[in-house]
Amino acid sequence: MPQIKSAIKRVKTQDATNKRNAAQMNRLRTIVKKFKKAAEAGEEDASKLRLDAEKALDKAVSKGLIHKNKAARDKSRLAKMSK
């Protein structure tokens, strides 16, 4: 455990950020899984779920959770699935 006051604050900040990022990544993965499951089952609302998944990917890029090329690659793969 750090002894310096600024280092103690930094550890607290890092923990909070880590928890927030983990929650957002978990939410992203869940949304993508919902779409994949719906696409495999051939459900009618799969196109709406795909839009939700793409929106979540874009939001993850804007927050710095994933790289923009990964998001583009994932969106391309989701689009292929929906056809």
Side-chain angles (χ1 to χ4, degrees), residues 1-81:
M1 192 68 189
Q3 301 297 314
I4 299 168
K5 191 173 185 178
S6 62
I8 292 170
K9 289 180 184 178
R10 191 77 215 134
V11 168
K12 286 182 182 179
T13 306
Q14 287 172 346
D15 287 344
T17 304
N18 191 17
K19 286 178 184 177
R20 187 180 321 113
N21 288 343
Q24 289 173 348
M25 283 299 291
N26 189 12
R27 182 176 173 275
L28 170 67
R29 288 188 198 108
T30 303
I31 291 171
V32 171
K33 282 180 195 175
K34 277 185 185 178
F35 165 71
K36 287 181 179 180
K37 190 173 182 180
E40 287 176 5
E43 293 180 17
E44 297 172 5
D45 66 338
S47 61
K48 182 189 177 302
L49 290 173
R50 188 184 110 224
L51 292 177
D52 291 344
E54 288 180 358
K55 183 178 175 183
L57 286 165
D58 289 336
K59 191 171 271 196
V61 169
S62 70
K63 292 177 185 265
L65 294 174
I66 60 175
H67 195 273
K68 64 179 182 175
N69 290 355
K70 177 182 172 20
R73 183 177 63 240
D74 288 348
K75 289 194 301 188
S76 174
R77 288 175 179 170
L78 294 178
K80 280 185 181 179
M81 282 183 158

